Amino acid sequence: MFHLHDIIHHQHAAKHAANHIDMLHGSLLPKILLFALPLSLSSMLQQAFNSVDVAVVGKFVSSQAMAAVGGNGPIINLLINLFVGISVGANVVIARYIGQKADEKVKETVKTSQVLSIISGFLLMFIGMFAARPMLEAIGTPSDILTLATSYLRVYFLGMPAFMFFNFGAAILRSVGDTKRPLISLLFGSILNAILNCIFVVAFDWGVYGVAIATVISNYICAAMVAYWLATEDEPIRWTFRQLGIERGVLAQTLQIGIPAGLQGMVFSFSNIFIQAAINTHGSAAVAGSAAAVVYECLAWLAVSGFTQAAVTFTSQNYGAHHYDRCKKILVLCSSSSFALCAVFAGVFVGAQGFFIELFTDDPSVTHYASTRLIWVLLLEPIAVSYELPGASMRGLGYSMTPTIITVLGTCAFRLLWIYTVCPIYPSYEALMVVYPISWVITGVATIIAYRIVSKKAYRMLPAPAEAAPPCKCLA
């Protein structure tokens, strides 16, 4: 007969089996798909927050309001990417300690991540609120949308404490293979965001303020759900406010991996701000059309991002456990799966572009710019897998700066060079868009070469592969 503690033990075991993935043993592809697909869907739902905002104001307010909301993307990404990158660093460190079965180090990293999420969230809130208009003016935002764009951005950044709390919390859950519960919270948040958009914009006529307020409320609901799950988790990944603190050793490791990843995202966004400034010179119709197309680009790229994070997390755990052959298989499986999924998304969105663009606007001039960007950028986006996945694998091995430097030079610096040399000679919108696929090819070739060099070095530095070890306590 079972005693009470036996029943509780079996309940906990069932919960762990349902939410956690053993990345160190067994077939890789089913587990990678189980990890990556919910994560990709989660990222798409996060993107849907802004996409629904753009669609609602485009349909029920004006093309100018649509441009004001959609044109904020590069600035938002510039500000948040550093701290999102640091959350990736936390994910890598926790996953590696899980692979090493170092539960105390996992606890220290969770505790440190908690403090980082709080600091980064409030810092971003204040920066975004006070620097919104100067940043929008700096990139030449058209005068007819400047006030609307500023209003949206200031309200949007009130949700940054919740946004960062969610991202760090989701990173902790991902480190043990749990991508389902963050997906559930984002699914709920997306539905709530859509409902609130309809209430605030259609019923109350609050315009850009309405969609921003809806996004902020949804962010806090998602953060609250993740906080509850982490507070009810078992050690070593339980997350509570009663155990705030920073451990210098794990902080250094987290920042060593996370800052380069964040800087890569920031520099990406920085180069995209210059591209956005160039788009702005074509007028508000170009801004609105580009914003609509970017929604579908992001959805296709986010199909890749789930496998990118899978490559980081699976590689980190298996590298920590000295399972080198599995690390190599992880890169091949993640690369091929993400390329196929991204190509499917790109083909569907471009093939049925009339339908998808019409979800945002009926304006013929806006439609023209959206269609142009879909053809020149989205259709070729699967090429980006060539640098995203080898770069993710290098981060999982602990080499975060190498892919950052390559991406900064091959993608960001090249795009700036293109804007200031080619675009003045060929000032068309098409000439601006073609910089994306060209930069992807250059960066991809360089990253693949770097991966081959770095991986050989990483595998030489550690002992020969160990015999399969029993799962970490937090995966049992």
Side-chain angles (χ1 to χ4, degrees):
M1 178 179 294
F2 285 116
H3 295 292
L4 178 60
H5 69 85
D6 293 321
I7 296 173
I8 294 174
H9 172 77
H10 283 285
Q11 288 176 337
H12 282 307
K15 180 179 74 171
H16 281 245
N19 295 318
H20 296 184
I21 297 175
D22 178 5
M23 304 180 190
L24 304 178
H25 308 85
S27 179
L28 280 168
L29 182 59
K31 295 180 180 182
I32 288 174
L33 293 176
L34 184 63
F35 181 100
L37 294 179
L39 182 55
S40 289
L41 287 173
S42 297
S43 300
M44 290 175 186
L45 288 171
Q46 263 188 321
Q47 173 61 30
F49 278 29
N50 183 255
S51 303
V52 171
D53 292 352
V54 174
V56 168
V57 295
K59 282 289 188 180
F60 297 102
V61 185
S62 66
S63 294
Q64 285 75 23
M66 176 181 169
V69 174
N72 272 314
I75 288 179
I76 292 172
N77 291 333
L78 175 66
L79 292 177
I80 69 174
N81 273 337
L82 174 62
F83 299 102
V84 171
I86 293 174
S87 74
V88 172
N91 171 249
V92 171
V93 174
I94 294 172
R96 183 175 299 173
Y97 283 139
I98 288 172
Q100 296 170 355
K101 302 183 289 297
D103 285 356
E104 286 303 316
K105 288 293 185 180
V106 173
K107 293 179 186 179
E108 292 176 1
T109 311
V110 169
K111 182 170 65 174
T112 301
S113 300
Q114 185 176 6
V115 176
L116 287 173
S117 73
I118 296 170
I119 294 173
S120 60
F122 282 98
L123 181 62
L124 283 170
M125 182 179 72
F126 287 114
I127 292 174
M129 290 178 65
F130 290 106
R133 191 177 184 94
M135 289 188 294
L136 288 167
E137 290 174 341
I139 66 171
T141 302
S143 58
D144 60 337
I145 65 172
L146 179 60
T147 299
L148 290 173
T150 302
S151 299
Y152 176 81
L153 200 58
R154 284 175 175 164
V155 176
Y156 180 90
F157 270 88
L158 290 173
M160 281 300 103
F163 180 84
M164 295 313 303
F165 189 100
F166 173 85
N167 275 279
F168 275 86
I172 292 171
L173 292 173
R174 286 198 301 268
S175 67
V176 294
D178 184 359
T179 57
K180 291 185 289 186
R181 286 185 290 182
L183 171 61
I184 292 170
S185 67
L186 285 171
L187 178 60
F188 181 83
S190 295
I191 295 172
L192 177 64
N193 185 51
I195 294 172
L196 293 178
N197 274 337
C198 293
I199 295 172
F200 295 157
V201 177
V202 181
F204 294 171
D205 196 25
W206 288 356
V208 296
Y209 285 104
V211 293
I213 292 170
T215 299
V216 169
I217 293 173
S218 300
N219 278 333
Y220 277 96
I221 295 298
C222 289
M225 294 175 71
V226 169
Y228 170 77
W229 286 323
L230 287 170
T232 56
E233 266 289 346
D234 291 332
E235 299 288 2
I237 66 165
R238 181 180 295 160
W239 192 2
T240 67
F241 282 108
R242 293 192 299 268
Q243 298 178 345
L244 291 175
I246 291 180
E247 297 292 335
R248 293 184 179 181
V250 296
L251 175 63
Q253 293 181 63
T254 299
L255 297 180
Q256 183 181 10
I257 296 170
I259 287 180
L263 288 175
Q264 176 177 316
M266 286 186 70
V267 176
F268 248 121
S269 299
F270 185 71
S271 67
N272 286 338
I273 283 177
F274 282 87
I275 293 177
Q276 184 65 49
I279 292 171
N280 290 344
T281 64
H282 293 273
S284 58
V287 177
S290 179
V294 164
V295 168
Y296 299 113
E297 289 173 29
C298 287
L299 290 175
W301 180 82
L302 292 172
V304 174
S305 74
F307 291 94
T308 300
Q309 188 60 58
V312 170
T313 308
F314 275 73
T315 301
S316 298
Q317 279 206 23
N318 281 277
Y319 186 63
H322 304 167
H323 295 169
Y324 308 139
D325 288 341
R326 289 174 70 86
C327 291
K328 298 172 185 177
K329 292 177 183 177
I330 288 163
L331 175 58
V332 173
L333 292 172
C334 288
S335 297
S336 56
S337 300
S338 60
F339 182 90
L341 191 58
C342 185
V344 169
F345 271 84
V348 170
F349 290 143
V350 174
Q353 60 180 276
F355 167 77
F356 288 110
I357 294 173
E358 198 172 300
L359 294 176
F360 290 87
T361 183
D362 299 319
D363 187 326
S365 58
V366 174
T367 299
H368 164 72
Y369 284 107
S371 176
T372 300
R373 178 156 185 154
L374 287 176
I375 293 171
W376 283 99
V377 182
L378 176 57
L379 196 59
L380 300 173
E381 195 163 18
I383 298 172
V385 171
S386 64
Y387 70 87
E388 286 287 350
L389 269 299
S393 184
M394 281 189 274
R395 288 198 171 88
L397 297 174
Y399 293 81
S400 190
M401 186 59 74
T402 302
T404 296
I405 293 173
I406 293 172
T407 303
V408 167
L409 295 176
T411 297
C412 306
F414 177 79
R415 290 177 185 177
L416 294 178
L417 181 65
W418 185 276
I419 289 170
Y420 288 107
T421 58
V422 176
C423 288
I425 301 173
Y426 303 98
S428 69
Y429 185 76
E430 290 82 357
L432 179 60
M433 293 296 102
V434 77
V435 68
Y436 285 101
I438 294 176
S439 65
W440 292 333
V441 171
I442 293 171
T443 308
V445 171
T447 305
I448 291 170
I449 294 172
Y451 168 77
R452 293 181 65 85
I453 297 171
V454 165
S455 61
K456 289 180 181 179
K457 178 181 177 182
Y459 298 143
R460 283 199 305 266
M461 289 176 61
L462 293 179
E467 293 297 322
C472 174
K473 184 172 70 176
C474 57
L475 296 175

